[in-house]
Amino acid sequence: MSILKIARMGHPVLLARAAEIEDAATPEIKALISALAETMEDAGGVGLAAPQVHVPLRLFVFHVPASRADDGDGVALRAVINPVVTPVEEAGRALGWEGCLSIPGLRAAVPRWNEIRLTGLDEQGRAFDEVLSGFAARVVQHETDHLDGVLYPMRMEDFRLFGYNEELDRYGQELL
Ligand code: NI
């Protein structure tokens, strides 16, 4: 169908607050979800938010491959519209490695909530309310941040844990 151009860090669309989607059940939103999924898959990412393809709306797609899931259960590709993330604070925060299709070639260790409550609308426009943990919770926090103009370096607390994938593959894994 269509692979879209991904905005890279430095583009103002990545720093703006995206707008709520008023009507989730339109052909335009359906087409945008398909294009986001296709673009994400082509780029090899686990999540992609609409502002990353220059569309300032509150929508993202994500998936968790079984190989990346903490509990062995992956999350099949899905879309989330107008997400609201509430941390389950008792579960605490943890550092974990993150990359971003808008910041190619780099990754960093970023603190995120271990568990979150996520509400929003699915690709059919139906409301949902669920609890996510581990890597899925991390991905959703990263993608929801994109809708608020926040990129992962803005969440970092230790800039020693920031580098190029190639170097981190060789030297960096024991940093955490
Ligand atoms: Ni990202």
Side-chain angles (χ1 to χ4, degrees), residues 17-70:
R17 188 185 189 279
E20 304 282 330
I21 293 175
E22 304 279 343
D23 185 356
T26 64
E28 289 78 14
I29 296 297
K30 219 177 251 318
L32 176 57
I33 289 170
S34 300
L36 276 170
E38 198 172 346
T39 303
M40 178 184 77
E41 233 155 84
D42 176 69
V46 293
L48 187 64
Q52 292 182 272
V53 296
H54 309 86
V55 177
L57 292 176
R58 303 186 78 77
L59 160 66
F60 63 82
V61 297
F62 81 104
H63 69 132
V64 176
S67 59
R68 305 282 302 269
D70 306 287

Side-chain angles (χ1 to χ4, degrees), residues 47-49 52 98-103 142-143 146 150-152:
L48 187 64
Q52 292 182 272
E98 286 180 30
C100 180
L101 294 176
S102 294
I103 311 174
H142 177 119
E143 298 310 326
H146 274 301
V150 174
L151 300 170
Y152 76 73

